[in-house]
Amino acid sequence: MASPGSGFWSFGSEDGSGDSENPGTARAWCQVAQKFTGGIGNKLCALLYGDAEKPAESGGSQPPRAAARKAACACDQKPCSCSKVDVNYAFLHATDLLPACDGERPTLAFLQDVMNILLQYVVKSFDRSTKVIDFHYPNELLQEYNWELADQPQNLEEILMHCQTTLKYAIKTGHPRYFNQLSTGLDMVGLAADWLTSTANTNMFTYEIAPVFVLLEYVTLKKMREIIGWPGGSGDGIFSPGGAISNMYAMMIARFKMFPEVKEKGMAAVPRLIAFTSEHSHFSLKKGAAALGIGTDSVILIKCDERGKMIPSDLERRILEAKQKGFVPFLVSATAGTTVYGAFDPLLAVADICKKYKIWMHVDAAWGGGLLMSRKHKWKLSGVERANSVTWNPHKMMGVPLQCSALLVREEGLMQNCNQMHASYLFQQDKHYDLSYDTGDKALQCGRHVDVFKLWLMWRAKGTTGFEAHVDKCLELAEYLYNIIKNREGYEMVFDGKPQHTNVCFWYIPPSLRTLEDNEERMSRLSKVAPVIKARMMEYGTTMVSYQPLGDKVNFFRMVISNPAATHQDIDFLIEEIERLGQDL
Amino acid sequence: MASPGSGFWSFGSEDGSGDSENPGTARAWCQVAQKFTGGIGNKLCALLYGDAEKPAESGGSQPPRAAARKAACACDQKPCSCSKVDVNYAFLHATDLLPACDGERPTLAFLQDVMNILLQYVVKSFDRSTKVIDFHYPNELLQEYNWELADQPQNLEEILMHCQTTLKYAIKTGHPRYFNQLSTGLDMVGLAADWLTSTANTNMFTYEIAPVFVLLEYVTLKKMREIIGWPGGSGDGIFSPGGAISNMYAMMIARFKMFPEVKEKGMAAVPRLIAFTSEHSHFSLKKGAAALGIGTDSVILIKCDERGKMIPSDLERRILEAKQKGFVPFLVSATAGTTVYGAFDPLLAVADICKKYKIWMHVDAAWGGGLLMSRKHKWKLSGVERANSVTWNPHKMMGVPLQCSALLVREEGLMQNCNQMHASYLFQQDKHYDLSYDTGDKALQCGRHVDVFKLWLMWRAKGTTGFEAHVDKCLELAEYLYNIIKNREGYEMVFDGKPQHTNVCFWYIPPSLRTLEDNEERMSRLSKVAPVIKARMMEYGTTMVSYQPLGDKVNFFRMVISNPAATHQDIDFLIEEIERLGQDL
């Protein structure tokens, strides 16, 4: 626990994530905030930077904490005569909040103060002078703070402090220089929608308990199916807890379509089933096969070309091989946007093969699905309209807050038949409304988190054209990066040619390695470069980008851009930072 | 779409959920809010009820929307001279928000205005004079509003309106008279924590991207295992997307423990596995068996006594029967708190049988786990410490916002071995910190939503004793309800005796049925009573309680209490309301 004297309100100085190195940041933030004449900026500034920002003016006679307990007035008069709230959180507990009698006042103050902390975090997230991460090793964090759970309650001052501490050590996933994952960025409308979702605190079980959200899921999934290209947007689907589960759903439904008796009888009653996916596909296909009782040995990995695309002739060869052994090919999962290379499998050729051999065609477009929003780039998914099912994660390329993953199915009713258990104690059949909106029984989950609202509200706010602009911009930035480094000294591309998605895969070769022959020693040394640079990036907190080995290729950087805050300058910065941190290696 | 003239800001009158019937509510809310001298209440009141609340004072010359575009000043001077913000949302779009240049000001205003809408919803949720739900049939909602997604963006005024519309038709799950689900109530600290989680917008994949949340999961799961009674809190676990998935995990891990080869070889390589659970258990056991390739036929439902508890002698008989057929019993799932009756299976007797036959013992304490927090009631789960795995959903009896479900496993490392795929491109093995905190590969999911923070922060704020007080109070309320109706005219209990959990199951017998003989016609008429009363409840919006048939018992009410806002008066109200709405049937 931070010592009480470190002061709950002195966020600007307590937070070492950038302000301590740039003592002007807090003040600069305040100056920006104060331009906002309506009071919110002033209020935030006064609340969060407190007297520390203006010791001379305030006279400094009041200790910071005492001052801080008063929510600052939002008016512009300095000094003003507005009366102050005097909510002393040190004497308040959760039991003083709603639904307690007279709980309104402390509740509104508490939630507003939490919100002030969050708003400051949001603003800081986009500030390039703050760190992406204030990194500490696990043991450091465990030792520095007492995170343990106890019998007795803590007061609300402590609770607010925990909120600040948690955010202090969080990754700023919206930071313009955060490139670490396929999901980056922080969308303001999506964030607002997620706050609303939390406040509504319901789940997608039935229309009865989530009327609007159930309708919005219906509307949104239909729209996504239209974009995939299924006639009239017909079909089925669900928002699931992530792409891995969406892929598992696809596998389950494909199996059920071919052998419906598997539901009652299990895998013992069906022949040996074989799934096919590329060697660059996501590991969730194997996880799913393990879970579903199919077994990882029954997932055949198809060879890829040097760009990471599945080779259709190898797919056909392996299908025939399986059939010759008496096994039953039941699923091909093509990938539209692989995790590392961003490759798009040739969907039309895969569709032809699936048609020929009557195999369920799934497309894992968790990462690449976003390109369907772009008239310029959607051709990369040509053939997706021939799929039987598609995984598409709006929380990746479309910047929707985590989690938001859709599984779309072309045939209606199949999901329901596959998963329903007719539990009449959960899904009463004599309710007074149209029961087709009670979608709970087609899910594997019982209660299901509301993941649709943030996507729906963002779609309303941006329009399809707004998503298109975002996708086009990110792909343009990736091409910019590719163009910078393809001929730059000290860089080697992992594969040739322009990126098809925003994945740019490359090695940085430090000066000491540039003259070495291409032998094992060089490979061994090169494999250690990216991890060291990444560790240094995290310790400085300046930027974050992923690295990994793949097949026979030693650790390389995989740059991905889905962050709407990133600019050409941020790409330039990344390159400079890699060189700054790696030149001595 | 609501006509523009209906006015985004005129929430008080637009919202028919109570205010239109009780025109004084909005004003009353304002009066409460204005007591809060710091400005937040005033501001909210001015923003949300706008000029409508004081037409005479404001002169009424300004149209409501124009007035509303100005964020009200928070000072107490009326009229005040503070300058106003003039953020005109009708001219702003998502693209004007951060990370746009000069995006701070509109972003702070927009997010604050969303927050104001949410705060008003929160306050209204606890107001008994508002409706629990403003019910509309699916077709009505679909016709009344245009929910469709379009190419072009909408402005922020429209986005804010959507937030209001969505909440207008939402269930107020925190309302003191909402008893419909096992998860009810709206905890203020949990809500704040969920907002923070959304703002941090990361997932539980690795320590790298969620350092604090990963540590908090570690600390919290350990504490839960201590409470279960495993020595030193040792073991393993994960927060999963709901109890159904937690139960499925348990099934997977039990299978893997007995036949690790299933991971690679699938179910074809193992003998026929049989799972046992009671006839009152949750349907997710069958769903899980269907998904995992075990098949629903291999889930044997064990008979229950008339209180809904599994009969151990029947369990043993069915295990022997399965063994005689050459099948392999691999899992017994006992239920601690069944969905309908709230029954606790005799865990000690089940544990003895599992030990005797070397079968994995799982306890589905999704609903009953909360009672472990109570010194008075935890005896009902005696024997849970002998389980191999436990499902425990803090989002049910402990009032944590949805979703928060834990699967706890006694043996460490098993989850990891069962699920890991060693994808080095996702889980780099040469990172600079202790990789044991990268828990992603033990999950079935890849990205995993952060569900722990709301539980952890609530636990800090309430302490274990706070959860205990909540559980004890809800159980006391259930007993109060039981005592009222057990001898009251017009009620029949579904089973005799005091409730063990907060489930109180009963029929309301309308006067016209009270004198009928207990024959088929009476049963048929009785079966229609609860659905009609429930439909009327929803149309009036006064309260919500669940009903269902079970086995040979026709539709009865299942009252459950997990809502911290409920009082004795709310229980009295429920009874009166059932009688008011059902006396003519």
Side-chain angles (χ1 to χ4, degrees):
Chain A
M1 187 72 57
S3 66
S6 70
F8 157 46
W9 291 105
S10 53
F11 193 74
S13 55
E14 186 193 22
D15 175 0
S17 72
D19 295 351
S20 60
E21 292 147 77
N22 302 297
T25 305
R27 196 161 286 108
W29 187 85
C30 259
Q31 282 163 0
V32 169
Q34 276 158 0
K35 283 184 216 152
F36 178 35
T37 55
I40 293 168
N42 268 323
K43 189 175 167 190
L44 271 172
C45 174
L47 265 171
L48 296 165
Y49 291 107
D51 290 359
E53 281 304 305
K54 42 180 171 39
E57 281 168 56
S58 71
S61 62
Q62 240 177 351
R65 275 173 88 206
R69 279 175 206 144
K70 302 181 180 181
C73 164
C75 92
D76 273 354
Q77 317 299 317
K78 299 292 170 205
C80 83
S81 57
C82 306
S83 62
K84 301 281 196 287
V85 195
D86 192 10
V87 176
N88 189 334
Y89 292 117
F91 294 108
L92 287 175
H93 290 84
T95 44
D96 297 305
L97 302 176
L98 285 171
C101 288
D102 302 321
E104 289 94 342
R105 182 185 146 175
T107 298
L108 289 170
F110 171 73
L111 291 179
Q112 183 63 52
D113 281 329
V114 169
M115 191 46 51
N116 292 340
I117 291 169
L118 301 184
L119 290 178
Q120 196 208 19
Y121 181 78
V122 166
V123 170
K124 286 181 70 159
S125 285
F126 293 105
D127 177 356
R128 289 179 177 76
S129 71
T130 65
K131 286 184 178 184
V132 175
I133 179 173
D134 182 9
F135 182 79
H136 289 69
Y137 289 93
N139 283 345
E140 288 174 357
L141 277 191
L142 282 171
Q143 282 160 18
E144 193 166 345
Y145 290 88
N146 168 19
W147 310 97
E148 297 299 323
L149 298 165
D151 288 347
Q152 296 308 315
Q154 292 194 300
N155 64 48
L156 294 183
E157 182 168 290
E158 291 168 303
I159 295 306
L160 287 166
M161 189 155 61
H162 296 322
C163 290
Q164 293 199 315
T165 304
T166 301
L167 289 176
K168 172 168 158 51
Y169 296 110
I171 303 275
K172 292 196 186 71
T173 52
H175 195 288
R177 291 170 182 166
Y178 178 70
F179 303 110
N180 206 61
Q181 309 292 121
L182 302 183
S183 304
T184 61
L186 185 59
D187 185 90
M188 293 298 105
V189 173
L191 177 61
D194 219 23
W195 289 346
L196 185 147
T197 301
S198 299
T199 310
N201 193 33
T202 189
N203 78 61
M204 300 296 288
F205 191 53
T206 55
Y207 180 84
E208 182 174 322
I209 64 168
V212 179
F213 299 131
V214 163
L215 294 181
L216 296 184
E217 182 170 85
Y218 172 81
V219 165
T220 306
L221 290 172
K222 184 163 181 286
K223 180 76 177 179
M224 293 173 85
R225 290 190 302 260
E226 281 170 15
I227 289 171
I228 285 172
W230 292 336
S234 68
D236 212 333
I238 201 164
F239 283 93
S240 92
I245 304 289
S246 291
N247 285 341
M248 194 176 88
Y249 265 119
M251 221 176 230
M252 274 180 73
I253 297 167
R255 176 177 70 177
F256 177 78
K257 171 75 178 173
M258 201 174 261
F259 297 102
E261 61 270 33
V262 76
K263 185 175 175 179
E264 287 83 25
K265 307 286 175 203
M267 287 297 289
V270 303
R272 180 157 168 202
L273 304 181
I274 306 286
F276 304 85
T277 191
S278 91
E279 56 187 352
H280 280 229
S281 71
H282 192 258
F283 78 146
S284 55
L285 275 303
K286 285 207 164 195
K287 282 216 177 193
L292 302 184
I294 293 166
T296 54
D297 288 352
S298 295
V299 179
I300 306 290
L301 298 184
I302 306 301
K303 278 189 197 144
C304 291
D305 66 19
E306 79 96 29
R307 291 290 300 262
K309 293 166 181 287
M310 184 193 281
I311 299 172
S313 59
D314 192 55
L315 172 62
E316 187 157 16
R317 187 177 68 79
R318 301 303 296 270
I319 289 173
L320 288 170
E321 204 174 274
K323 287 170 81 81
Q324 276 156 14
K325 289 180 186 161
F327 304 155
V328 177
F330 81 109
L331 174 104
V332 175
S333 177
T335 312
T338 58
T339 309
V340 182
Y341 281 17
F344 290 81
D345 287 345
L347 301 184
L348 286 165
V350 171
D352 287 341
I353 293 170
C354 287
K355 189 180 173 193
K356 184 171 171 187
Y357 296 100
K358 295 191 175 56
I359 304 176
W360 184 281
M361 177 182 174
H362 175 64
V363 176
D364 178 1
W367 172 227
L371 272 63
L372 290 169
M373 308 302 270
S374 162
R375 282 164 289 191
K376 187 173 171 190
H377 296 288
K378 66 187 297 182
W379 63 270
K380 295 167 186 172
L381 290 100
S382 281
V384 69
E385 70 283 358
R386 293 177 59 189
N388 298 96
S389 58
V390 178
T391 292
W392 176 356
N393 287 9
H395 73 217
K396 294 197 163 85
M397 196 60 214
M398 288 162 69
V400 177
L402 292 154
Q403 280 184 325
C404 188
S405 169
L407 185 266
L408 292 314
V409 182
R410 192 164 60 190
E411 182 177 332
E412 208 176 338
L414 209 47
M415 279 196 93
Q416 183 80 13
N417 290 338
C418 176
N419 288 315
Q420 72 185 346
M421 291 292 147
H422 299 290
S424 62
Y425 70 95
L426 293 170
F427 303 99
Q428 303 84 23
Q429 296 304 301
D430 43 16
K431 290 196 286 196
H432 59 127
Y433 59 82
D434 177 355
L435 296 178
S436 70
Y437 291 96
D438 283 0
T439 57
D441 209 13
K442 76 178 174 192
L444 202 49
Q445 299 173 271
C446 180
R448 183 161 59 92
H449 191 261
V450 177
D451 291 336
V452 68
F453 188 64
K454 49 202 171 193
L455 171 58
W456 182 84
L457 198 68
M458 279 177 68
W459 208 320
R460 282 283 191 155
K462 298 165 84 84
T464 309
T465 56
F467 283 120
E468 176 179 49
H470 168 65
V471 168
D472 288 353
K473 181 197 152 196
C474 289
L475 274 119
E476 191 277 316
L477 281 177
E479 200 174 323
Y480 174 79
L481 170 63
Y482 169 76
N483 286 330
I484 290 178
I485 60 175
K486 67 176 173 183
N487 297 317
R488 190 181 178 102
E489 194 187 353
Y491 291 83
E492 277 177 32
M493 304 308 294
V494 173
F495 57 83
D496 291 330
K498 268 196 221 174
Q500 277 219 300
H501 204 311
T502 69
N503 306 50
V504 182
C505 296
F506 62 91
W507 290 280
Y508 168 69
I509 320 287
S512 73
L513 295 186
R514 288 180 200 165
T515 52
L516 291 187
E517 268 179 66
D518 190 7
N519 57 20
E520 223 169 90
E521 191 215 331
R522 181 176 182 270
M523 277 300 131
S524 162
R525 286 180 60 187
L526 185 56
S527 75
K528 296 184 182 79
V529 170
V532 172
I533 293 177
K534 171 68 177 275
R536 290 177 179 177
M537 277 177 180
M538 289 184 71
E539 278 166 26
Y540 283 100
T542 46
T543 183
M544 279 174 73
V545 58
S546 182
Y547 75 86
Q548 65 287 300
L550 192 72
D552 59 355
K553 298 185 163 46
V554 300
N555 282 320
F556 55 88
F557 285 112
R558 180 211 60 179
M559 176 68 175
V560 280
I561 304 163
S562 60
N563 193 330
T567 63
H568 293 95
Q569 288 73 38
D570 296 312
I571 304 297
D572 295 340
F573 176 85
L574 175 82
I575 294 301
E576 289 158 20
E577 193 67 358
I578 286 174
E579 293 173 3
R580 180 177 81 86
L581 298 173
Q583 63 181 352
D584 65 326
L585 296 176
Chain B
M1 187 70 58
S3 66
S6 71
F8 157 47
W9 291 104
S10 53
F11 193 74
S13 54
E14 187 194 23
D15 176 0
S17 72
D19 295 350
S20 59
E21 291 145 78
N22 302 298
T25 304
R27 195 161 288 110
W29 187 86
C30 256
Q31 282 164 0
V32 169
Q34 276 158 359
K35 282 184 216 152
F36 178 35
T37 55
I40 294 167
N42 267 324
K43 189 175 168 191
L44 270 172
C45 175
L47 266 171
L48 296 165
Y49 292 106
D51 291 359
E53 281 304 305
K54 42 179 173 36
E57 281 170 54
S58 70
S61 62
Q62 239 175 353
R65 276 172 86 207
R69 278 175 206 142
K70 302 182 179 179
C73 165
C75 91
D76 273 354
Q77 316 300 313
K78 299 291 170 204
C80 85
S81 57
C82 306
S83 62
K84 301 280 196 286
V85 195
D86 192 9
V87 175
N88 189 336
Y89 292 117
F91 294 108
L92 287 175
H93 289 85
T95 45
D96 298 306
L97 302 176
L98 284 171
C101 287
D102 301 324
E104 289 94 342
R105 183 185 145 175
T107 299
L108 290 170
F110 171 73
L111 291 179
Q112 183 63 53
D113 281 329
V114 169
M115 191 46 49
N116 292 340
I117 292 169
L118 301 184
L119 291 179
Q120 197 207 19
Y121 182 79
V122 166
V123 169
K124 285 180 71 159
S125 285
F126 294 105
D127 176 356
R128 289 178 177 77
S129 72
T130 65
K131 286 185 177 182
V132 175
I133 179 173
D134 182 8
F135 181 79
H136 289 68
Y137 290 93
N139 283 345
E140 287 173 0
L141 276 191
L142 283 171
Q143 283 160 19
E144 194 168 343
Y145 289 88
N146 168 20
W147 308 98
E148 298 299 322
L149 298 165
D151 288 348
Q152 296 307 316
Q154 292 194 299
N155 64 48
L156 295 182
E157 182 168 290
E158 290 168 303
I159 296 306
L160 288 166
M161 190 155 61
H162 297 322
C163 290
Q164 293 199 315
T165 304
T166 301
L167 289 176
K168 172 169 158 50
Y169 297 109
I171 303 275
K172 293 196 186 71
T173 52
H175 195 289
R177 290 169 183 168
Y178 179 69
F179 303 110
N180 206 60
Q181 310 292 121
L182 302 183
S183 304
T184 61
L186 184 60
D187 185 89
M188 294 297 104
V189 173
L191 177 60
D194 219 22
W195 289 346
L196 185 147
T197 301
S198 300
T199 311
N201 193 32
T202 191
N203 77 62
M204 299 297 286
F205 191 53
T206 56
Y207 180 85
E208 181 173 324
I209 63 168
V212 179
F213 298 132
V214 163
L215 294 181
L216 296 185
E217 183 169 83
Y218 172 81
V219 165
T220 306
L221 289 172
K222 184 162 181 285
K223 181 75 178 179
M224 293 173 85
R225 290 189 301 261
E226 280 170 17
I227 289 170
I228 285 171
W230 292 336
S234 69
D236 211 333
I238 201 165
F239 284 92
S240 93
I245 304 289
S246 291
N247 285 342
M248 194 175 88
Y249 266 118
M251 221 176 231
M252 273 181 72
I253 297 166
R255 176 176 69 177
F256 176 79
K257 171 75 178 171
M258 201 174 261
F259 297 102
E261 61 271 34
V262 76
K263 185 174 175 179
E264 288 84 26
K265 306 286 175 203
M267 287 296 289
V270 303
R272 180 156 169 204
L273 304 180
I274 306 286
F276 303 84
T277 190
S278 90
E279 56 187 351
H280 280 228
S281 70
H282 192 258
F283 78 146
S284 56
L285 276 302
K286 286 206 163 195
K287 282 215 176 192
L292 301 183
I294 292 166
T296 54
D297 287 353
S298 295
V299 180
I300 306 291
L301 298 184
I302 306 302
K303 280 190 197 143
C304 290
D305 66 18
E306 78 96 28
R307 290 291 300 263
K309 294 166 180 285
M310 184 193 281
I311 299 172
S313 59
D314 192 54
L315 171 64
E316 186 157 16
R317 187 177 68 79
R318 300 303 296 270
I319 289 173
L320 288 169
E321 205 174 274
K323 288 170 79 81
Q324 276 156 14
K325 288 180 186 162
F327 304 154
V328 177
F330 81 109
L331 174 105
V332 174
S333 177
T335 311
T338 58
T339 309
V340 182
Y341 282 17
F344 290 81
D345 286 346
L347 301 184
L348 285 165
V350 170
D352 287 342
I353 293 170
C354 287
K355 189 180 173 192
K356 183 172 172 186
Y357 297 99
K358 296 192 174 57
I359 305 175
W360 184 281
M361 177 182 173
H362 175 64
V363 176
D364 177 2
W367 172 226
L371 272 63
L372 289 168
M373 307 301 270
S374 161
R375 283 164 288 191
K376 187 173 171 191
H377 296 288
K378 66 186 297 182
W379 64 270
K380 295 167 186 172
L381 289 102
S382 281
V384 69
E385 70 284 357
R386 293 177 60 189
N388 298 96
S389 57
V390 178
T391 292
W392 176 356
N393 288 9
H395 72 216
K396 291 196 164 85
M397 196 59 213
M398 287 162 68
V400 178
L402 292 155
Q403 282 184 323
C404 189
S405 169
L407 186 265
L408 294 313
V409 183
R410 192 165 57 189
E411 183 177 331
E412 207 176 338
L414 209 47
M415 279 197 92
Q416 182 80 15
N417 290 337
C418 177
N419 288 316
Q420 72 185 346
M421 292 291 148
H422 298 290
S424 61
Y425 72 95
L426 293 171
F427 303 99
Q428 304 83 24
Q429 295 305 301
D430 43 16
K431 290 195 285 194
H432 59 128
Y433 60 81
D434 178 354
L435 297 179
S436 69
Y437 291 96
D438 283 0
T439 56
D441 209 14
K442 76 178 174 191
L444 201 50
Q445 299 172 270
C446 179
R448 184 161 58 92
H449 190 262
V450 177
D451 291 336
V452 69
F453 187 63
K454 49 203 171 193
L455 170 58
W456 182 84
L457 197 68
M458 278 176 69
W459 207 320
R460 283 283 192 157
K462 298 164 83 85
T464 309
T465 55
F467 284 120
E468 176 179 50
H470 168 65
V471 167
D472 288 353
K473 181 197 152 198
C474 288
L475 274 118
E476 190 277 317
L477 281 176
E479 201 173 323
Y480 174 79
L481 171 63
Y482 169 76
N483 286 329
I484 289 178
I485 61 175
K486 68 176 173 184
N487 297 318
R488 189 181 178 101
E489 194 188 354
Y491 291 84
E492 277 177 31
M493 304 309 293
V494 173
F495 56 83
D496 290 331
K498 268 197 220 173
Q500 277 219 299
H501 204 312
T502 70
N503 306 50
V504 182
C505 296
F506 61 91
W507 289 280
Y508 168 68
I509 319 287
S512 73
L513 295 185
R514 288 180 200 166
T515 52
L516 293 187
E517 268 180 66
D518 190 8
N519 58 20
E520 222 170 272
E521 190 215 331
R522 182 177 181 271
M523 277 298 131
S524 164
R525 286 180 60 186
L526 184 57
S527 74
K528 296 182 182 79
V529 170
V532 172
I533 293 176
K534 172 67 177 278
R536 290 176 179 179
M537 276 177 180
M538 289 184 71
E539 278 164 26
Y540 283 100
T542 45
T543 183
M544 279 174 73
V545 58
S546 182
Y547 76 86
Q548 66 286 300
L550 192 72
D552 58 354
K553 298 188 163 43
V554 301
N555 282 319
F556 55 88
F557 286 113
R558 180 211 59 180
M559 176 69 177
V560 281
I561 305 163
S562 61
N563 193 331
T567 63
H568 293 94
Q569 288 73 38
D570 296 311
I571 304 296
D572 294 341
F573 177 84
L574 175 82
I575 293 302
E576 288 158 20
E577 193 67 359
I578 286 174
E579 293 174 2
R580 180 177 80 86
L581 298 173
Q583 63 178 353
D584 65 326
L585 296 175

